[in-house]
Amino acid sequence: MSKRDPFVLLDGRAAGVVRRLHSGNDRQLPRMLGRLARDLPALVLGRPRRADADAPERFEDAYLALGREQAAFCYAQARAVRARRVVEFGTSFGVSTIWLAAAVRDNGGGTVIGTEMVAAKAERARANVRAAGLADQVEIRTGDALETLRDLEEPVDLMLNDGFPDAALDVLRLIAPRLRTGAVVITDNVGVMRGDYAEYVSWVRDPANGFVSVQVPYKGGTEVSIRVG
């Protein structure tokens, strides 16, 4: 098997499910790009997109998943910090949830707490997680993450920040006090939507907020932030 195949990190059952889901995401990509056509000028110029209040409904059938190598990177980061409690903002159909849950299981056990605004998507995510054999490692909370994550237990070892960008900073600020020293926060779409994430990036790169943060080149730019204080 090719050394470049990211699915070698997973057992056969989980790998089979995420292969199918990543393929579904690939097939859907042209249609998703069409839905973003109205935002293209802002994306090209690095400016914030216009208000997207209808986004949950507009993307109710969308995977909005991490890329394969990007998801494998998240798995590896979770293994590196020996993550036992992981928080995921933006579960969608559960692609990244499966990768993270596999890492938690391989670390000896724990919980991935996912959040999803759309109830139908949360149910599909739960079904996909069950199919991957990882239900014991996953709890998916339905609703606004700023509400569903308020009672989160400490410590959090890793956070995947992959929900809608207008809430990314508020969710991180909510979770930050519960992140242990050395915890990792991985934020998707920072490069592609740099206008939307400008305030977020400025905040995580300000040493006063307790992070060391860099960008890695997945999907045009993924921010990786380490909790240091």
Side-chain angles (χ1 to χ4, degrees), residues 1-224:
M1 187 173 292
S2 170
K3 292 181 180 179
R4 298 187 63 185
D5 181 357
F7 300 111
V8 299
L9 298 171
L10 305 177
D11 66 39
R13 183 173 177 181
V17 173
V18 292
R19 281 182 191 275
R20 171 176 56 81
L21 295 174
H22 280 294
S23 294
N25 185 63
D26 292 345
R27 291 191 298 271
Q28 197 180 68
L29 186 59
R31 183 153 47 97
M32 293 303 105
L33 292 175
R35 293 185 190 180
L36 289 170
R38 72 184 192 185
D39 300 319
L40 187 58
L43 294 173
V44 170
L45 295 171
R47 296 174 180 170
R49 296 170 304 134
R50 62 183 176 178
D52 206 14
D54 65 337
E57 293 76 21
R58 189 156 60 101
F59 293 99
E60 186 172 356
D61 61 340
Y63 283 84
L64 303 175
L66 299 181
R68 293 163 177 78
E69 296 290 343
Q70 186 185 25
F73 174 79
C74 291
Y75 171 94
Q77 289 293 298
R79 293 301 307 276
V81 300
R82 301 186 63 80
R84 294 299 187 97
R85 182 174 288 109
V86 173
V87 174
E88 178 188 45
F89 169 47
T91 293
S92 191
F93 293 157
V95 180
S96 51
T97 318
I98 293 170
W99 282 94
L100 292 168
V104 166
R105 182 184 61 187
D106 294 344
N107 284 337
T111 305
V112 175
I113 299 170
T115 60
E116 176 50 52
M117 180 74 76
V118 179
K121 295 185 82 169
E123 283 304 311
R124 285 189 62 176
R126 292 184 186 104
N128 290 329
V129 167
R130 288 193 297 270
L134 291 163
D136 289 345
Q137 272 70 51
V138 175
E139 174 191 347
I140 297 174
R141 301 180 181 184
T142 305
D144 184 341
L146 292 172
E147 297 300 326
T148 62
L149 295 177
R150 285 193 177 278
D151 63 347
L152 196 64
E153 294 182 8
E154 301 178 29
V156 174
D157 303 302
L158 184 143
M159 175 184 178
L160 176 60
N161 201 341
D162 193 22
F164 290 112
D166 58 348
L169 182 53
D170 288 338
V171 174
L172 177 57
R173 283 173 169 155
L174 176 66
I175 302 303
R178 299 170 173 85
L179 293 169
R180 67 165 173 85
T181 299
V184 178
V185 179
I186 301 170
T187 306
D188 189 22
N189 294 318
V190 169
V192 174
M193 299 179 179
R194 63 187 186 277
D196 296 88
Y197 282 100
E199 184 181 0
Y200 179 94
V201 170
S202 178
W203 193 88
V204 292
R205 294 187 183 181
D206 182 346
N209 294 317
F211 290 90
V212 170
S213 195
V214 298
Q215 197 168 122
V216 296
Y218 293 110
K219 280 174 68 176
T222 296
E223 194 77 7
V224 180

